[in-house]
Amino acid sequence: MNIQKIKLRDLGNVKYQYGISTQKKIHDELINEAKILFLEHDKVITIGTKGESKDILFTEEEISKKGFEIIKSDRGGQVTIHNKGQLVCYLIIPIKKFNIKPVDLVRKIEDLIINFLRKYKISAIAIKDKTGVWVNEKNIEKKIAAIGVRISNGVSMHGFALNINNNLNDFNLIVPCGLEGSLVTSMVNETSINLDKDSVKLNLIEEIKNIFNCEVINE
């Protein structure tokens, strides 16, 4: 059986609109090929297709003073935050070629993140009717990764945002994913160790290979 190939491009720290426009350009030009983008966004609050402005707990002026933009996104999901120290992964994949049904894509992403976090002795779970990946400690659920995808013309867009060593206080500006009282956490918060960003990315790539049964090629 032929192993599929996915090309990986690391954009580094970029403005949200640059990341989105790069993703859209790749998506529109993609012909039977798969690509993944790693990136980190500056401060931004995004509202997904199911999101509501009421889940932003401050006025637009107050948000702006704190250094955040507010942007409506065509990804699935509700309101979330991107900031420095969070790794964003955009998956631009022709799902039929990878034998993935639309309903199964989010489950695959959840499994990918859960397996990856296990390498760091972080026990994470998926929770029914709560999109994303969570850490449950003493019956307290804390979100460690947000997931929001879109499929257009059979090709996926957007993906997930994994909290590594970002400022979790920023999440006090919103109701994360529309869930009142929802808490967030990060890899550093759960492990209390310094994490090397490059090794984190390498471990994540290994799980991408496993979950999508593919070879990952750096562009």
Side-chain angles (χ1 to χ4, degrees):
M1 185 176 71
N2 291 332
I3 294 180
Q4 301 292 350
K5 292 180 173 61
I6 297 180
K7 291 182 179 178
L8 170 69
R9 187 188 304 178
D10 193 333
L11 299 182
N13 192 323
V14 297
K15 290 281 189 183
Y16 183 78
Q17 293 290 27
Y18 176 82
I20 289 297
S21 62
T22 301
Q23 174 186 218
K24 189 175 187 314
K25 186 172 186 292
I26 292 169
H27 180 276
D28 291 347
E29 294 175 351
L30 208 62
I31 301 174
N32 209 30
E33 203 177 56
K35 292 197 178 184
I36 287 177
L37 299 179
F38 280 171
L39 55 150
E40 200 173 345
H41 285 313
D42 293 323
K43 290 181 170 185
V44 64
I45 296 172
T46 65
I47 306 174
T49 54
K50 294 181 180 178
E52 298 182 63
S53 296
K54 69 178 179 60
D55 288 332
I56 300 173
L57 302 177
F58 293 81
T59 66
E60 194 164 340
E61 183 181 357
E62 290 170 323
I63 292 292
S64 180
K65 284 180 180 178
K66 294 177 185 294
F68 280 86
E69 291 182 90
I70 300 173
I71 296 176
K72 288 191 175 181
S73 171
D74 61 0
R75 64 165 172 79
Q78 297 176 312
V79 175
T80 195
I81 272 180
H82 299 304
N83 56 2
K84 191 174 180 181
Q86 181 191 71
L87 178 62
V88 177
C89 179
Y90 288 152
L91 303 164
I92 313 163
I93 296 173
I95 60 172
K96 189 174 181 180
K97 184 178 179 180
F98 281 74
N99 295 315
I100 301 170
K101 295 177 181 176
V103 72
D104 295 331
L105 180 60
V106 170
R107 304 289 85 79
K108 277 191 172 289
I109 295 172
E110 288 172 344
D111 289 344
L112 188 164
I113 298 167
I114 290 167
N115 293 345
F116 160 77
L117 290 172
R118 199 173 289 133
K119 294 178 186 288
Y120 297 88
K121 296 182 169 50
I122 299 173
S123 181
I125 57 172
I127 301 174
K128 188 178 180 182
D129 298 325
K130 290 185 178 182
T131 304
V133 174
W134 303 75
V135 175
N136 188 320
E137 185 179 1
K138 297 178 181 177
N139 291 321
I140 297 174
E141 296 167 353
K142 296 174 287 184
K143 194 168 201 173
I144 195 167
I147 299 172
V149 297
R150 179 179 179 227
I151 296 171
S152 175
N153 297 324
V155 180
S156 64
M157 298 178 70
H158 302 286
F160 64 88
L162 174 67
N163 295 335
I164 298 176
N165 61 347
N166 48 327
N167 183 356
L168 300 179
N169 290 328
D170 286 343
F171 287 84
N172 293 330
L173 300 175
I174 66 169
V175 178
C177 299
L179 299 169
E180 288 284 352
S182 181
L183 301 176
V184 292
T185 190
S186 66
M187 291 178 66
V188 164
N189 202 48
E190 294 301 316
T191 60
S192 299
I193 60 172
N194 289 323
L195 294 168
D196 176 70
K197 192 180 293 185
D198 289 335
S199 77
V200 165
K201 290 176 181 178
L202 287 174
N203 282 329
L204 194 55
I205 288 168
E206 286 305 309
E207 286 310 319
I208 289 170
K209 291 178 182 178
N210 293 335
I211 288 293
F212 292 104
N213 188 30
C214 68
E215 181 183 352
V216 176
I217 304 165
N218 287 311
E219 275 198 322

